[in-house]
Amino acid sequence: MEKNINELKEIIASSKRITVLTGAGISAESGVPTFRGSGGIWRNYQVTDVATPQAFARDPELVWEFYNWRRDLINKVTFNPGHKALVKLEKHVNDFTLITQNVDGLHREAGSRSLLEIHGNLWEVKCTKCSLLTMDRSQNMGKLPKCSQCGGLLRPHVVWFGESLDPDIIHKAIEASQNCELMLIVGTSGVVHPAASLAHQAKAGGAVVAEINIEQTPQSGQMDFVLTGPAGKILPMLVENFN
Ligand code: BV8
Ligand code: ZN
């Protein structure tokens, strides 16, 4: 591991364009449960019951119960050294893009700016009638929150399974993956598409790809570096030479 970290630190120091892809694992040390690991969210909730448009049409109260539970939980936590290390990296790299699958807003809260939230943001709500998009940090939006403008039912502005990602955002994410020198893939199980294909796109574009995870993933075999350990410990080590 030691060799890997030092080698990777040199590549980071000499890379002009770095892209990072994060998943739920980078927020785990903040106390946000992941989806698929031990204690994962999907253990208590059926994805199909709470994270699809069909689920919302069938039982919007259940879906809002799920998202209010996550709002309440995430309201109580804050970013961790892993998020902060990526803010430091962004300051030292010529051309930096952070792509996140997370909807918790912790990268933005930590100070990341060149950020693509490809699955949306838990704190944004969209009216299902007039499409008004608003940022609402309330801990609990209530059973069936309504639009202040037209009275329509609000939904979390996140991408559910079976929904397409914002074409402009995913285009930018693919471009940043295909044209970087180095891609760090942090805290993701690599099973959700199209995010899971970005590491492959980076490799195809000639980038060095490095996985940071507490365990092996189905993508570990295609990585140039596999750093096994918590993101909150490894990421600060990778950027410790930057002031
Ligand atoms: C779409 C928002 C077109 C809501 C989420 C191609 C092939 C196969 C399937 C598909 C495909 N194309 C489409 C699909 C279907 C589907 C899909 O991928 N299904 C999978 C599950 C098989 N994809 C879609 O539907 C996507 N839409 O493609 O549009 C289309 C349109 C119509 C019909 C068909 C296609 C939309 C996907 C977006 C879904 N929305 N979230 C919300 O969050 O509430 S996805 C959800 O999973 C979260 O966003 C989460 O971030 C994401 C991915 O999970 P991870 O982030 O990886 O988290 P996970 O828990 O899985 O893993 C955590 C990792 O961290 C673990 O590896 C663990 O070891 C590690 N870890 C833990 N602690 C630490 C750590 N690592 C480091 N340090 C630690 N301390
Ligand atoms: Zn409305």
Side-chain angles (χ1 to χ4, degrees), residues 2-14 84-86 88-93 233-243:
E2 261 322 294
K3 174 183 159 300
N4 270 342
I5 288 224
N6 291 329
E7 243 183 280
L8 190 51
K9 279 164 78 171
E10 273 162 41
I11 295 175
I12 288 173
S14 62
K84 271 323 260 183
L86 294 181
K88 194 173 174 188
L89 184 59
E90 179 173 353
K91 291 193 170 81
H92 285 87
V93 174
K233 182 167 158 278
I234 293 183
L235 287 173
M237 289 164 77
L238 289 177
V239 299
E240 67 192 349
N241 298 345
F242 293 135
N243 53 25

Side-chain angles (χ1 to χ4, degrees), residues 28 37 70 89 93 96 104 113 142 150 159 166 170 222-223:
R70 289 176 69 198
L89 184 59
V93 174
F96 179 88
D104 56 32
R113 286 298 168 266
C150 77
V159 180
D166 176 305
I170 194 64
Q222 63 176 306
M223 299 292 165

Side-chain angles (χ1 to χ4, degrees), residues 4-223:
N4 270 342
I5 288 224
N6 291 329
E7 243 183 280
L8 190 51
K9 279 164 78 171
E10 273 162 41
I11 295 175
I12 288 173
S14 62
S15 295
K16 294 220 176 354
R17 182 159 193 190
I18 297 180
T19 296
V20 180
L21 170 68
T22 61
I26 196 166
S27 296
E29 287 155 273
S30 294
V32 183
T34 60
F35 289 86
R36 295 168 188 84
S38 50
I41 293 182
W42 300 133
R43 289 206 189 303
N44 317 329
Y45 285 92
Q46 277 303 320
V47 170
T48 43
D49 294 344
V50 289
T52 66
Q54 294 78 5
F56 190 66
R58 184 174 59 240
D59 189 348
E61 274 191 42
L62 175 67
V63 173
W64 267 112
E65 181 196 295
F66 173 59
Y67 283 94
N68 280 325
W69 169 70
R70 289 176 69 198
R71 278 173 166 262
D72 187 29
L73 183 148
I74 296 167
N75 237 334
K76 294 187 178 97
V77 303
T78 186
F79 52 83
N80 66 54
H83 297 101
K84 271 323 260 183
L86 294 181
V87 176
K88 194 173 174 188
L89 184 59
E90 179 173 353
K91 291 193 170 81
H92 285 87
V93 174
N94 223 5
D95 191 339
F96 179 88
T97 306
L98 173 52
I99 303 163
T100 189
Q101 300 172 82
N102 301 341
V103 299
D104 56 32
L106 292 181
H107 282 304
R108 194 172 299 283
E109 198 182 300
S112 291
R113 286 298 168 266
S114 174
L115 178 61
L116 296 172
E117 293 176 312
I118 59 172
H119 291 162
N121 187 308
L122 182 73
W123 305 109
E124 285 182 339
V125 285
K126 186 170 179 181
C127 176
T128 54
K129 214 160 137 205
C130 74
S131 298
L132 178 74
L133 195 56
T134 43
M135 182 62 90
D136 183 317
R137 289 287 318 202
S138 41
Q139 211 152 323
N140 188 313
M141 295 287 294
K143 279 187 175 216
L144 290 172
K146 297 289 180 347
C147 173
S148 54
Q149 188 162 275
C150 77
L153 178 61
L154 296 178
R155 61 161 280 177
H157 189 49
V158 299
V159 180
W160 282 324
F161 287 99
E163 291 189 318
S164 300
L165 282 68
D166 176 305
D168 177 44
I169 293 177
I170 194 64
H171 171 76
K172 284 186 182 135
I174 291 169
E175 192 280 328
S177 304
Q178 286 176 334
N179 299 299
C180 62
E181 293 163 70
L182 170 66
M183 182 180 232
L184 302 179
I185 295 104
V186 186
T188 181
S189 57
V191 299
V192 172
H193 285 266
S197 64
L198 295 176
H200 177 74
Q201 309 240 18
K203 193 121 182 89
V208 169
V209 287
E211 180 181 71
I212 294 155
N213 199 312
I214 52 169
E215 61 188 16
Q216 303 279 308
T217 72
Q219 299 192 324
S220 299
Q222 63 176 306
M223 299 292 165

